[in-house]
């Protein structure tokens, strides 16, 4: 009875403190100043203290064999968060200030070339990488953003040490073990599970890498892109080489065939940020899910203000655990952001489905679930569906159109997988001490080369802090969730296509308008994390194990095509 009362009190108090922090963080993200940074740091410190006190309070019930909701709630509380703070008050204050400082340093980061008279933001540099085909211009943009991160290195090392101390006080060897413990299996079992999933899809990635490298060798010369070596990281169209969609024009299998210019259509038809978001909402409501609340439209930041510094990194916000849900994003009229809005609304609908779930159970069945929902919808945005929106015209599906469409998607989904896995692999090594503070950059690039087959654009040293050039590292956001999401979204998609009674190749399915698929999805979302994730997975898919084979099924046409193209190439690196 005392344990039940304790959980009830934590749920009540968590609602109040989470709302307070959400408001402080929201204002800091949408009005970046020293004052809002200080307010957010104070709110973070309060949350860190609350979390530490909650975990400490659970220890009084360690002797009880708790089961049911109370037992699960107590287990989740003991796991704490990905940001465990030390008990020491001064260290907790220090941690909150460092976290706020790192976040603001990243968000306000700019590259200011000597003699240029102006600076470039991350978004501007990202556009240079996406659009330019000049080797040296790409190198400058890539290197320019990485001038922002070295100043964060000392703060980051201290951040990791403080988080590690907090995790050790909770009984874990290090924070990496704490992170891996949140998957309803042992940390060691989870590490093996992540590797198993990667092994399932690795052959497809290797074929894609081989083909893309050959095309880049054609573009930039074999002296700059040797046909058997890792690809220079600045040539893949993305600041972190995690998505290669921006170089589609260089690798397009059948030039001009079924060229789906979604970006051009959005601009020609005078879409704006609100209309793009409304169309995304329409897909969810077609499945029987509710319309977004009025407060979403009143409070979300959908465009970049011109009068202040803001954090444009797209994110979804549950402000009160009920219906105050928001998106923070600087929406641009392009295909990428059109897909990103669907991704962020996936989070929003997950939040809304859990309005009646106690705070301790609010969240994804595991963190990969949360990331997968919106992307499951984007998989169903087939050319046929886009044609019903009027964003493309006269689309006729044939083998060449299918290969082109699959190539474009693979440059995003498949290219991302090794990056999605290695970011936390690196952090686990830092947390455990396997990677020392003197080897941060060396081991970062060793993993990137081993997993992705890429190399730095120019020589790097320990004066650099290239991991810090990726938002999720200084922000201390676990990243394995994105790897798992890219696995789960295809598993969810295949299940929903089955519920929608789709006939034909998997890659041609759109379950838009299927209330049956929507009901099954919402049943899974409504569980939050009140049950182990295999139970939630089973609600939608009928299976209890994560499985990457739906990816192989989906990309079967492209895989066969790539193997033929690569017959005379020396693949690997």
């Amino acid at each position: 009875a005392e344990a039940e009362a304790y959980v009830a009190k934590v749920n009540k108090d968590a609602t109040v403190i989470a709302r307070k922090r959400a408001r402080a963080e929201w204002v800091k993200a949408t009005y970046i100043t020293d004052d809002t940074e200080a307010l957010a740091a104070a709110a973070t410190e309060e949350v860190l203290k609350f979390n530490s006190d909650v975990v400490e309070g659970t220890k009084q019930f360690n002797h009880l064999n708790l089961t049911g909701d109370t037992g699960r709630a107590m287990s989740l509380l003991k796991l704490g968060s990905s940001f465990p703070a030390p008990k020491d008050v001064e260290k907790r204050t220090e941690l909150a200030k460092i976290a706020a400082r790192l976040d603001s340093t990243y968000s306000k980061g700019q590259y200011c070339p000597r003699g240029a008279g102006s600076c470039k933001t991350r978004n501007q540099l990202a556009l240079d990488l996406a659009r330019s085909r000049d080797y040296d211009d790409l190198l400058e943009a890539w290197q320019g953003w990485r001038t922002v991160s070295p100043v964060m290195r000392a703060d980051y090392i201290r951040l990791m040490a403080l988080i590690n101390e907090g995790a050790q006080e909770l009984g874990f060897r290090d924070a990496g073990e704490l992170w891996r413990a949140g998957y309803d299996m042992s940390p060691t079992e989870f590490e093996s599970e992540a590797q198993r999933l990667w092994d399932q899809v690795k052959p497809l990635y290797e074929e894609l890498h081989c083909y893309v490298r050959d095309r880049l060798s054609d573009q930039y010369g074999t002296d700059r892109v040797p046909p058997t070596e890792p690809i220079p990281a600045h040539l893949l169209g993305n600041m972190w080489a995690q998505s290669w969609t921006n170089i589609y024009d260089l690798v397009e299998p059948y030039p001009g065939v079924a060229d789906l210019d979604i970006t051009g259509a959005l601009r020609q038809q005078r879409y704006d940020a609100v209309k793009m978001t409304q169309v995304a909402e329409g897909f969810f409501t077609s499945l029987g899910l509710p319309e977004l609340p009025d407060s979403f439209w009143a409070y979300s930041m959908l465009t970049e203000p011109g009068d202040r510094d803001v954090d444009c990194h797209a994110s979804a916000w549950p402000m009160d655990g009920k219906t105050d849900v928001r998106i923070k994003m600087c929406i641009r009229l392009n295909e990428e952001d059109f897909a990103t809005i669907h991704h962020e609304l996936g989070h929003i609908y997950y939040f809304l489905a859990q309005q009646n779930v106690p705070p301790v159970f609010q969240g994804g069945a595991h963190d990969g679930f949360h990331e997968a929902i919106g992307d499951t919808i984007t998989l169903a945005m087939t050319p046929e569906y886009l044609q019903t929106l009027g964003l493309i015209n006269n689309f006729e599906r044939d083998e060449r159109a299918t290969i082109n469409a699959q190539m474009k998607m693979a440059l995003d989904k498949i290219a991302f997988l090794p990056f999605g896995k290695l970011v936390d692999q690196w952090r686990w090594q830092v947390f455990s001490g396997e990677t020392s503070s003197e080897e941060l950059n060396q081991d970062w690039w060793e993993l990137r080369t081993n997993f992705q087959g890429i190399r730095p654009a120019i020589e790097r040293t320990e004066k650099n802090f290239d991991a810090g050039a990726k938002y999720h590292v200084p922000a201390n956001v676990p990243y394995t969730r994105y790897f798992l999401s890219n696995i789960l979204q295809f598993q969810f998609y295949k299940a929903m296509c089955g519920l929608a009674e789709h006939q034909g190749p998997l890659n041609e399915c759109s379950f838009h308008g299927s209330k049956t698929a929507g009901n099954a999805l919402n049943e899974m979302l409504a569980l939050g994390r009140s049950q182990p994730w295999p139970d939630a997975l089973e609600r939608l898919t009928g299976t209890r194990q994560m499985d990457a084979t739906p990816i192989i099924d989906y990309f079967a046409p492209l895989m066969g095509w790539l193997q033929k193209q690569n017959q005379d190439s020396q693949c690997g690196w």
Side-chain angles (χ1 to χ4, degrees):
E2 291 175 353
E4 290 175 1
Y6 182 78
V7 170
K9 185 177 187 307
V10 169
N11 277 320
K12 181 179 179 181
D13 293 345
T15 300
V16 175
I17 198 167
R19 185 181 303 152
K20 182 178 179 181
R21 184 194 186 188
R23 286 173 174 168
E25 290 288 349
W26 177 264
V27 173
K28 188 199 73 156
T30 56
Y31 296 82
I32 300 177
T33 68
D34 291 343
D35 291 330
T36 58
E37 181 179 324
L39 291 170
T44 297
E45 183 181 352
E46 188 176 352
V47 169
L48 292 175
K49 180 182 184 303
F50 175 77
N51 290 340
S52 295
D53 291 346
V54 165
V55 174
E56 189 65 25
T58 65
K59 294 178 180 178
Q60 63 187 297
F61 306 108
N62 283 349
H63 64 288
L64 297 178
N65 182 26
L66 297 170
T67 59
D69 286 349
T70 302
R72 180 159 182 80
M74 202 67 73
S75 296
L76 292 172
L77 292 175
K78 288 176 182 177
L79 284 173
S81 71
S82 62
F83 214 90
K87 297 176 187 174
D88 182 272
V89 175
E90 291 185 1
K91 289 181 178 179
R92 192 165 61 230
T93 301
E94 181 187 9
L95 177 60
K97 289 180 177 178
I98 289 175
R101 188 162 62 240
L102 283 170
D103 192 61
S104 289
T105 300
Y106 185 94
S107 298
K108 293 187 291 187
Q110 294 184 330
Y111 167 53
C112 304
R114 291 181 181 177
S118 62
C119 299
K120 288 190 173 184
T121 65
R122 181 182 72 256
N123 285 343
Q124 291 168 328
L125 292 168
L127 284 175
D128 290 343
L129 280 168
R131 295 172 178 174
S132 177
R133 296 295 177 256
D134 182 277
Y135 188 94
D136 293 329
D137 288 347
L138 294 170
L139 179 59
E140 182 180 8
W142 186 92
Q143 189 177 3
W145 177 244
R146 282 156 182 79
T147 62
V148 171
S149 51
V151 70
M152 294 189 274
R153 182 175 176 131
D155 266 349
Y156 185 74
I157 291 171
R158 182 58 179 160
L159 179 90
M160 299 292 267
L162 290 169
I163 291 173
N164 245 0
E165 186 174 333
Q168 288 161 0
E169 289 176 359
L170 297 177
F172 296 92
R173 285 183 302 180
D174 57 66
E177 185 179 75
L178 168 63
W179 286 15
R180 297 191 299 277
Y183 293 94
D184 294 305
M185 59 179 67
S186 74
T188 301
E189 288 172 332
F190 175 71
E191 203 162 357
S192 297
E193 177 71 354
Q195 185 62 44
R196 179 186 69 81
L197 294 169
W198 166 238
D199 288 341
Q200 285 184 305
V201 295
K202 185 178 178 182
L204 177 55
Y205 177 80
E206 290 175 337
E207 293 289 347
L208 179 67
H209 179 282
C210 187
Y211 172 78
V212 168
R213 181 177 58 195
D214 283 352
R215 300 290 78 75
L216 291 175
S217 291
D218 294 340
Q219 174 72 18
Y220 297 105
T222 55
D223 56 330
R224 287 173 163 168
V225 188
T228 60
E229 295 183 13
I231 300 170
H234 64 303
L235 301 181
L236 291 160
N238 175 270
M239 185 63 74
W240 309 279
Q242 68 182 65
S243 169
W244 305 348
T245 54
N246 290 320
I247 62 164
Y248 176 72
D249 61 299
L250 300 181
V251 303
E252 186 177 18
Y254 299 103
V257 174
D259 184 14
L260 308 182
D261 184 13
I262 307 304
T263 297
L266 291 170
R267 293 171 179 171
Q268 183 180 6
Q269 297 179 32
R270 298 188 177 181
Y271 271 66
D272 58 18
V274 171
K275 185 175 180 180
M276 288 170 70
T277 308
Q278 289 172 335
V279 171
E281 176 194 26
F283 200 117
F284 287 90
T285 57
S286 84
L287 302 176
L289 303 183
E291 293 183 354
L292 294 169
D294 291 342
S295 59
F296 172 88
W297 301 104
Y299 299 137
S300 289
M301 185 188 86
L302 300 179
T303 57
E304 182 174 8
D307 60 347
R308 61 185 188 270
D309 287 329
V310 300
D311 176 8
C312 278
H313 183 83
S315 55
W317 294 60
M319 301 298 293
D320 62 357
K322 296 294 184 182
T323 59
D324 186 356
V325 291
R326 310 176 188 178
I327 281 179
K328 171 187 64 62
M329 184 176 174
C330 302
I331 295 174
R332 299 161 298 174
L333 296 183
N334 59 39
E335 182 178 2
E336 180 183 0
D337 281 12
F338 190 50
T340 299
I341 296 166
H342 288 79
H343 174 90
E344 297 304 333
L345 285 191
H347 292 298
I348 294 295
Y349 276 98
Y350 217 150
F351 299 148
L352 291 173
Q354 298 171 42
Q355 294 177 50
N356 299 318
V357 175
V360 70
F361 291 146
Q362 290 184 356
H366 66 51
D367 52 10
F369 276 65
H370 233 303
E371 297 299 332
I373 303 306
D375 286 345
T376 301
I377 302 300
T378 65
L379 291 175
M381 294 166 61
T382 61
E384 291 83 358
Y385 165 71
L386 293 172
Q387 191 162 258
T388 66
L389 296 178
L391 291 175
I392 60 175
N393 296 308
N394 304 318
F395 175 81
E396 293 184 10
R397 188 181 289 277
D398 60 22
E399 182 181 356
R400 295 184 305 161
T402 295
I403 296 302
N404 274 5
Q406 291 218 319
M407 175 62 73
K408 183 175 285 189
M409 184 176 289
L411 293 174
D412 180 27
K413 305 288 187 182
I414 305 305
F416 173 80
L417 287 167
F419 183 80
K421 187 176 187 306
L422 72 85
V423 173
D424 278 353
Q425 187 107 7
W426 176 79
R427 284 192 282 198
W428 296 343
Q429 292 178 190
V430 176
F431 280 133
S432 70
E434 181 181 345
T435 291
S436 71
S437 59
E438 291 79 34
E439 300 170 324
L440 296 182
N441 227 44
Q442 172 187 310
D443 286 4
W444 172 252
W445 281 108
E446 183 176 311
L447 284 171
R448 298 206 67 182
T449 299
N450 288 344
F451 276 91
Q452 286 186 278
I454 69 169
R455 61 177 174 83
I458 57 172
E459 183 180 353
R460 313 302 283 166
T461 71
E462 291 305 317
K463 291 181 180 179
N464 305 116
F465 180 43
D466 292 333
K470 177 62 182 173
Y471 169 81
H472 299 73
V473 172
N476 199 52
V477 178
Y479 209 75
T480 303
R481 62 184 63 178
Y482 302 105
F483 169 74
L484 296 176
S485 161
N486 269 32
I487 303 294
L488 285 170
Q489 63 190 251
F490 286 90
Q491 195 171 0
F492 294 166
Y493 171 76
K494 185 174 182 178
M496 293 181 73
C497 287
L499 291 167
E501 300 182 352
H502 169 72
Q503 302 293 322
L506 182 60
N507 60 284
E508 296 180 11
C509 163
S510 179
F511 47 75
H512 177 264
S514 172
K515 301 295 193 296
T516 303
N519 288 339
L521 175 66
N522 204 47
E523 282 186 16
M524 183 182 75
L525 301 183
L527 289 177
R529 55 178 189 164
S530 62
Q531 297 179 20
W533 65 260
D535 294 347
L537 181 66
E538 190 174 24
R539 287 290 184 99
L540 178 60
T541 69
T543 61
R544 298 180 59 81
Q545 184 180 51
M546 290 185 287
D547 182 18
T549 57
I551 295 179
I552 305 303
D553 295 342
Y554 185 94
F555 286 103
L558 180 66
M559 181 65 162
W561 186 87
L562 286 171
Q563 288 172 332
K564 290 180 181 178
Q565 298 299 310
N566 295 334
Q567 280 179 347
D568 299 325
S569 298
Q570 292 179 280
C571 297
W573 54 85

